[in-house]
Amino acid sequence: MKIAIPIFDRVTALDAIGPYEVLSRLPGAELKFVGFEAGPVKTDNRMLSLNAEVALEDFAEPDILVFPGGFGTRALMKDERMLDWVRHVHERSDWTTSVCTGSLVLGAAGLLRGLEATTHWASLHVLEQLGAAPTKRRVVEQGKIVTAAGVSSGIDMALRLAGHVAGDQVAQAIQLGIEYDPQPPYDSGSPDKASPDVIALVRRAEEAEARGAAAAA
Amino acid sequence: MKIAIPIFDRVTALDAIGPYEVLSRLPGAELKFVGFEAGPVKTDNRMLSLNAEVALEDFAEPDILVFPGGFGTRALMKDERMLDWVRHVHERSDWTTSVCTGSLVLGAAGLLRGLEATTHWASLHVLEQLGAAPTKRRVVEQGKIVTAAGVSSGIDMALRLAGHVAGDQVAQAIQLGIEYDPQPPYDSGSPDKASPDVIALVRRAEEAEARGAAAAA
């Protein structure tokens, strides 16, 4: 079972590592982080670098694609090398999936036209511009294309995928292995639950980060 | 706000990246991954390497320590350089925390004697050998020492810590920013909830991995 997780400048680490921690535990998993080239890739906040093991074209026929998000996806939406690779992978994949704004790259590659899809709540409007029907569900399955909401949702998505691929018992064992019995201390994990003040705080932070990323580009 | 996350051979990535994704979003956060030396560190399953930015001694006075787990903690429990660093950090820290078997390193450094503490459910008995009182709570606060259960629990722990450090509203904004509104597709994330078959499956997998790690060491 070959699994590819592309990483790129300004990726959000948890988008990638949540699904990695689940899917790497599938029996027979051969999971690789792929990049424009092998080597280090800095995350959105510049506090961490992850290493891509191989270049995109050297791992072009995975059974499962997991596309993580992050501010770096803005640039990828216009990157023909990445979009060509995504289309090539999708033609052969069993599952083409995304976390957070990773779905915007799938959309830019033309994969989401006419389909329901999701992304980080603050970017749902962009999906519409890409021809998809945005929904607020946390994990959205449309045939072999599965999109997940913001950042941490990749864990839920990957557990569902593990169930499809290896059966419920294996998926439950993975859940127990990573002791995923969530007990968040607050109930503000979606814009339907958070207070207006909290939502405004996040929007301001995201706008500042988007300005910073644009200035640095 | 200086935050140190040690990484080491056979660390479990999500143990480190869950808290990183939360705590790096604190206003003024200066978060560094530290290692025996700067450079790449391979995770437990060898499918990923993360980069340590600096050596332990070059970031020895963080306000917050987050010690992640993984099979690599077995070796660290006898590593005097690491244990000395942990003790040095703890003398000056505001918060000394761990995820999963990271608490075994805190325990080996002598920090948990007489305290309640937790770790991955399959390693709770080791805490007792280190003089701590193991509990099954997901996040255990004992003054400035906070231990969390297996792997994914670091997200819950870090959100609590964010609340202590920066207030509820900031912590809630971080929860919303990472869209942490968990919806696991199964309810088998703790040994109290999983079926006996699922528990047996995980124990076999962990034993095989421990044998593999021991053979490779």
Side-chain angles (χ1 to χ4, degrees), chain A residues 88-213:
Chain A
H88 176 91
V89 165
H90 179 62
E91 277 174 23
R92 293 155 183 81
S93 71
D94 293 331
W95 298 95
T96 299
T97 78
S98 65
V99 181
C100 200
T101 52
S103 62
L104 305 184
V105 182
L106 303 189
L111 272 47
L112 301 181
R113 272 190 287 268
L115 299 182
E116 291 192 322
T118 193
T119 185
H120 191 281
W121 57 269
S123 293
L124 280 167
H125 60 286
V126 185
L127 276 179
E128 203 155 14
Q129 297 160 13
L130 297 167
T135 85
K136 286 180 165 185
R137 296 198 304 280
R138 189 160 172 84
V139 178
V140 180
E141 301 195 22
Q142 299 272 284
K144 76 173 193 179
I145 296 183
V146 188
T147 56
V151 192
S152 61
S153 66
I155 301 172
D156 297 325
M157 187 272 285
L159 280 171
R160 281 219 216 179
L161 206 56
H164 292 322
V165 167
D168 290 343
Q169 197 182 53
V170 168
Q172 287 166 7
I174 294 173
Q175 183 183 10
L176 180 59
I178 64 168
E179 211 163 337
Y180 185 49
D181 180 29
Q183 297 173 21
Y186 308 100
D187 189 18
S188 66
S190 95
D192 294 337
K193 296 174 175 178
S195 72
D197 284 356
V198 165
I199 295 173
L201 198 58
V202 178
R203 285 205 185 272
R204 279 200 301 276
E206 302 240 331
E207 282 160 16
E209 196 173 348
R211 278 195 304 277

